[in-house]
Amino acid sequence: MNEAFASRRDIDAGGAETRRIIAATEALLAASARNTPDGIESLQLKAIIHELPDFFYVKDRDSRFVFANAMVARSFGLGNDEDLAGKRDFDFFDFETARGYFEAEQEIMASGEARLDMEENVPSPAGGRSIWRLTSKLPLRNERGAVVGLIGISRDLTERKRQEDLRRGQAHLLEMIARNEPLETVLEALVLLIEAELDGISGSILMLDREGRRLYHGAAPNLPGAYSRMIDGVIIGPNVGSCGTAAWTSEPVIVEDVTVDPRWEDFRGVVAQFGFRSCWSTPILTAQNNVLGTFALYSNQVRRPTAREIELVALATHIAGIAIERKRGDERIHFMAHHDDLTGLPNRAFFKERMAKTLYHARSSGRKVTVAYLDVDNFKDINDGLGHAAGDDVLKEVASRMANGVRASDMVVRLGGDEFLVVLVHQSSHDAGIMRRLRDLQKVLLKPIQTQNQQVSVTCSIGVASFPSDGATAEELLANADRAMYRAKQLGRNTLQHHHGVCDAEIKLPVSEQEELRQAIVTDQLVLHYQPQVDVMTQQVTGVEALVRWNHPSRGLVPPNEFIPMAEESGLIIPLGLWVLNEACRQARKWQDMGLQPLRVAVNVSAKQFTDPDFARHVAEATERYDLAPRWIELELTESVLMQDAERALETMNALRPLGVRFSIDDFGSGYSSLASLKTFPFDRLKMDRSLIEALPGDKTAVAIGLAVISLAQTLKLTVVAEGVETDAQRDFLRFAKCEEAQGYRFSRPLTADQIPAFLQK
Ligand code: C2E
Ligand code: MG
Ligand code: MG
């Protein structure tokens, strides 16, 4: 034995050394197995070694195989273990791999130290996937203790490694689901995981829609996109390929050959160009066995799935089921959190969420958005009188009529109770269309509603606010629409009110009142009264101020302060002012024609009017029309008129002055009176505001200011007219201060045109 492994020649020669090593190995095994029952023959032992599921081999000092069991031979693709004798790893592996083994083995034999439980990734000598092994290599010694070779024992770890990978992948997927990652991402990772476990297989997940009718793309990272698109949205049925059929029957469908299986009849043309031959599809089920979708594997071979493939499909459908169900659950929760139970309409939370997006788009596209706040009139009476069930019926019906009455781009929301919102995105710049649609909605709700045991009729009040004029955010629009709705209620039921502009918070007049005023202008509901202005010394009438009133059919004579601001805000001041101007001219002409002394008529002009480019022309035309010398017309401007657009104001004044038209500054001393404007603009007269006169002559400050204003006016060659003179004391002070003219109740209240001739007679 001491000559064992003597030379290569010996092994090659006849195997005497080999036999000796085998004998030695067997003896060693026998010796190490202390509990081996007596009588076991070495031959038997050899047979057992061949039966081992592990790899077992012995190599000589040159790392040549001396003995190997059947497992080793099979792994090298050899039928007979004898064929291995004398071969080295260099004969089977690529050079680098073989050298790695060789050097490690030489090291073991040189040092005499075993290496145990090494995890090795071994390239498959037959090609294909690499193999994982757990390997131990021990030095083989003779009786004298000299190392004569080595013993190798390996166990195939590939399956265990795969299982581990799979478990890790599965854990990762479950984590993704728990983290609520997008469903598409989870499903795609799932398909990739399964595909990584298999060779030549592509996976696909399809999802069934809520109606249980069509299958839609879920994930198919390695199927041709063209194929996925072609089957996207397929209607399921008893013979709709593998997936459509599996979803229809709730059973796995194994098609070994798509070119002959009758279930693929209609899809053969589609599939032919992609080269698939077999397709095995399994339904993805909920815990209650409802179909959520399908998981399918495609192969290019005509065959049935292997046991392993079936096992992987089971795992995949299980995880896909969890992922899809979880998503549906989330969607359901989201829906419930954003929708109202009774009517199924979106709720306030949904409104806020959606409005942010709607307003964002409206802003970037320059579109308007109208929010209508709708409240059912007297709903409490229905609830109290007919019971809550009837009340619920009414709300449901109102909700469904509204939802059916709007476009897909619009939104109907139930805020709670009997309060609803309609959000309309304007398609054009015409607001008229929107208002008509809202009124139509109001009309639709008027039709009787059938409750369980009786018919009821309801009306509703609507408040409207529009983006961007009535608010920039969902909250602002909601608040303003609510306010407008509240006014609608106050004005009676079944009405619609519009919130007005953010800039004039205190004036929120209903659309109908604006409409009314518009009508009033054309139907002669307006009337002018005239307040005389007198010479303080002689009490002779020097002129009159025209003051407009609205002879309202139900409200009676409405003073200007109640509708001029609205007219200014809505733009109606232009036609209104034009009417006043013409009426004043007509009346002045009439008085002159009656033979009265010619009277200067003062007309009040608003800022919007005065900055209208056509204003100067309007004045010229009006005086011409009534053949009135323009010097009989005086235009009263306030400082705010001048401040709006000083340049344009000066232009207009300069255009009118040559005609002889006069100008007075009205309400001087009531606000931010500035000396500058008196110097800049060509005024003829200064009207000292009533608030200054009021405190005269008792208040020392008022006296001082009054005197200052009068002397200032005289320096600038302006005639001073004191406004709102009510008492003799005030008149006496004005005489003393050399104020030329006055206007006020002390002399006369505003009179009708007919009263003027008599007043002049006095
Ligand atoms: P204003 O131009 O300062 O007109 C004088 C206002 O003082 C008138 O009120 C007049 O009735 C009132 N008044 C006159 N004397 C006295 C008095 O002794 N005591 C008191 N307490 N009040 C007196 P009215 O007619 O209600 O007009 C209010 C304002 O409406 C006017 O103030 C003017 O700013 C505006 N307004 C009137 N008519 C027109 C118009 O045709 N166009 C425009 N743009 N504004 C007008
Ligand atoms: Mg005035
Ligand atoms: Mg005034």
Side-chain angles (χ1 to χ4, degrees), residues 34-35 238 364 426 492 620:
R34 283 161 189 266
N35 297 327
S364 53
H426 294 220

Side-chain angles (χ1 to χ4, degrees), residues 59 63 65 76 87-93 98 101 105:
K59 286 179 169 177
S63 290
F65 284 98
F76 288 133
K87 297 239 163 61
R88 303 200 299 174
D89 288 327
F90 291 99
D91 298 315
F92 301 106
F93 297 107
Y101 293 144
E105 288 171 3

Side-chain angles (χ1 to χ4, degrees), residues 545 604 636 638 666-668 687-690 723 743:
E545 179 180 3
N604 293 284
E636 291 195 12
T638 57
D666 202 357
D667 303 343
F668 190 84
K687 295 188 79 179
M688 201 156 59
D689 190 64
R690 184 153 55 92
E723 290 189 302
Q743 178 183 344

Side-chain angles (χ1 to χ4, degrees), residues 500-559:
H500 281 279
V502 276
C503 32
D504 46 289
E506 63 287 330
I507 314 148
K508 287 165 204 126
L509 282 152
V511 164
S512 54
E513 197 170 338
Q514 240 181 62
E515 267 322 301
E516 267 186 323
L517 180 59
R518 196 189 301 279
Q519 287 301 311
I521 298 167
V522 293
T523 58
D524 269 329
Q525 282 178 30
L526 299 182
V527 55
L528 290 183
H529 284 188
Y530 301 91
Q531 187 173 34
Q533 298 172 334
V534 301
D535 185 312
V536 176
M537 288 302 182
T538 64
Q539 304 225 93
Q540 288 286 309
V541 176
T542 55
V544 292
E545 179 180 3
L547 296 162
V548 71
R549 277 97 182 82
W550 180 0
N551 201 352
H552 193 278
S554 58
R555 287 158 73 191
L557 213 57
V558 182

Side-chain angles (χ1 to χ4, degrees), residues 375-411:
D375 186 290
V376 179
D377 296 328
N378 300 326
F379 181 70
K380 201 176 169 304
D381 297 346
I382 298 172
N383 240 354
D384 295 349
L386 306 178
H388 286 265
D392 284 355
D393 287 345
V394 169
L395 291 178
K396 274 192 262 186
E397 183 60 23
V398 166
S400 99
R401 286 185 194 178
M402 281 204 290
N404 290 329
V406 300
R407 297 184 186 161
S409 55
D410 302 333
M411 166 169 47

Side-chain angles (χ1 to χ4, degrees), residues 417-682:
D418 59 343
E419 296 180 350
F420 298 86
L421 278 187
V422 183
V423 179
L424 306 158
V425 177
H426 294 220
Q427 302 303 328
S428 71
S429 55
H430 296 296
D431 297 357
I434 292 282
M435 285 310 168
R436 194 175 340 103
R437 285 170 60 198
L438 286 174
R439 292 207 188 275
D440 286 350
L441 211 56
Q442 224 167 6
K443 255 183 244 155
V444 166
L445 298 183
L446 284 177
K447 286 188 203 136
I449 294 173
Q450 185 65 47
T451 68
Q452 272 138 1
N453 34 33
Q454 91 189 82
Q455 271 198 347
V456 287
S457 289
V458 299
T459 57
C460 66
S461 302
I462 299 180
V464 175
S466 299
F467 170 87
S469 54
D470 303 324
T473 65
E475 288 76 27
E476 278 171 26
L477 291 167
L478 189 60
N480 284 333
D482 186 9
R483 246 172 252 145
M485 190 277 292
Y486 187 73
R487 267 203 331 276
K489 288 264 180 211
Q490 287 176 323
L491 286 173
R493 309 291 150 163
N494 200 29
T495 53
L496 189 151
Q497 294 293 305
H498 202 293
H499 174 82
H500 281 279
V502 276
C503 32
D504 46 289
E506 63 287 330
I507 314 148
K508 287 165 204 126
L509 282 152
V511 164
S512 54
E513 197 170 338
Q514 240 181 62
E515 267 322 301
E516 267 186 323
L517 180 59
R518 196 189 301 279
Q519 287 301 311
I521 298 167
V522 293
T523 58
D524 269 329
Q525 282 178 30
L526 299 182
V527 55
L528 290 183
H529 284 188
Y530 301 91
Q531 187 173 34
Q533 298 172 334
V534 301
D535 185 312
V536 176
M537 288 302 182
T538 64
Q539 304 225 93
Q540 288 286 309
V541 176
T542 55
V544 292
E545 179 180 3
L547 296 162
V548 71
R549 277 97 182 82
W550 180 0
N551 201 352
H552 193 278
S554 58
R555 287 158 73 191
L557 213 57
V558 182
N561 291 339
E562 285 180 32
F563 61 90
I564 292 288
M566 182 261 279
E568 284 174 340
E569 189 267 322
S570 64
L572 283 174
I573 193 69
I574 304 284
L576 188 151
L578 201 57
W579 181 87
V580 170
L581 192 65
N582 278 276
E583 176 61 12
C585 291
R586 190 190 66 81
Q587 189 59 55
R589 170 84 266 149
K590 191 174 171 196
W591 281 326
Q592 288 189 16
D593 289 348
M594 285 165 71
L596 300 184
Q597 60 167 108
L599 283 176
R600 185 184 57 233
V601 182
V603 172
N604 293 284
V605 180
S606 289
K608 248 204 189 131
Q609 235 184 313
F610 201 67
T611 49
D612 180 3
D614 294 327
F615 182 73
R617 188 168 51 84
H618 286 158
V619 175
E621 284 172 357
T623 50
E624 248 169 59
R625 183 172 296 132
Y626 296 106
D627 196 25
L628 185 75
R631 69 189 149 97
W632 298 115
I633 291 295
E634 175 172 295
L635 300 175
E636 291 195 12
L637 312 177
T638 57
E639 286 207 297
S640 61
V641 173
L642 307 174
M643 290 179 61
Q644 289 257 313
D645 186 347
E647 235 172 276
R648 154 86 36 89
L650 192 59
E651 244 172 61
T652 310
M653 285 173 90
N654 286 334
L656 286 169
R657 271 192 76 82
L659 303 180
V661 175
R662 290 155 192 261
F663 292 96
S664 64
I665 182 152
D666 202 357
D667 303 343
F668 190 84
S670 65
Y672 28 73
S673 307
S674 83
L675 203 57
S677 58
L678 287 185
K679 283 204 214 154
T680 317
F681 298 94

